[in-house]
Amino acid sequence: AQKVTQAQTEISVVEKEDVTLDCVYETRDTTYYLFWYKQPPSGELVFLIRRNSFDEQNEISGRYSWNFQKSTSSFNFTITASQVVDSAVYFCALSEAGAAGNKLTFGGGTRVLVKP
Amino acid sequence: DTGVSQDPRHKITKRGQNVTFRCDPISEHNRLYWYRQTLGQGPEFLTYFQNEAQLEKSRLLSDRFSAERPKGSFSTLEIQRTEQGDSAMYLCASSNPGQGVVAGGEYEQYFGPGTRLTVT
């Protein structure tokens, strides 16, 4: 069965600092997909990024970047030059190609607090 | 595109009462999911629909829970004889595999604002 672990429950930083969120996953599928979602205080989950298991190329999108390493089953996410609006709970999620409907399995979330 | 909408946003009910939530997915999204999120936890999968067919149900979905998507558009989630343990945020999401980049691959799910249920 799939599992996602986010060991950091809360991170507090001062504005403009970088924030790296850790995510470790378990799956028996060889094809799977990894996601990061943001949940601001309003409660709505917002899709941020997706990565396919067969593409380990790391990318940068604006202030977001991610580091996907299959060898360690990790999918870490970095916010560069954090802003107060980045304060939210961030969830890492996994979807297996073999799972019906490609349902998402979420980690427990990491609360990020960016102080001015 | 308008996003996923859910109604009501908040529901307070007494133990033993029945409640029904509605979800309107993004138009033309053929997959619709229900998740439940308790305080301080990540969302947990409950069930999903491909068009009007309910294709998978989690063991979290007890007999008191029922979901429908009669015309392949909006969906309802009903909880009968509510218990205090049902208090949670109920999230709906939709996706459209037809818009995926990779054939048979994965498509991001777009979430609604959720319905927060409080059972007293």
Side-chain angles (χ1 to χ4, degrees), chain B residues 65-80:
Chain B
F65 289 69
S66 63
E68 294 182 343
R69 195 183 183 196
K71 298 181 180 179
S73 56
F74 73 91
S75 174
T76 58
L77 177 68
E78 181 183 15
I79 308 174
Q80 295 182 328

Side-chain angles (χ1 to χ4, degrees), chain A residues 31-33 35 37 39 42-47 49-50 52 54 89 91 95-97 99-109 111, chain B residues 4 9 31 33 35 37 40-45 48 55-56 89 91 95 100-114:
Chain A
T31 301
Y32 52 89
Y33 310 89
F35 302 80
Y37 281 84
Q39 189 173 43
S42 61
E44 186 166 341
L45 279 162
V46 178
F47 164 76
I49 58 173
R50 175 190 67 201
N52 306 326
F54 41 86
V89 181
F91 291 97
S95 171
E96 295 176 328
N102 305 116
K103 62 188 177 187
L104 293 172
T105 297
F106 287 86
R111 180 177 301 277
Chain B
V4 178
R9 295 290 307 275
R31 284 190 183 170
Y33 302 79
Y35 292 83
Q37 184 179 22
Q41 304 296 317
E44 295 176 292
F45 170 79
Y48 96 98
L55 298 183
E56 186 175 350
M89 176 79 87
L91 297 165
S95 70
V101 174
V102 178
E106 205 28 315
Y107 320 96
E108 49 270 26
Q109 295 177 23
Y110 293 91
F111 283 80

Side-chain angles (χ1 to χ4, degrees), chain A residues 12 72 85 99:
Chain A
S12 182
T72 56
V85 293

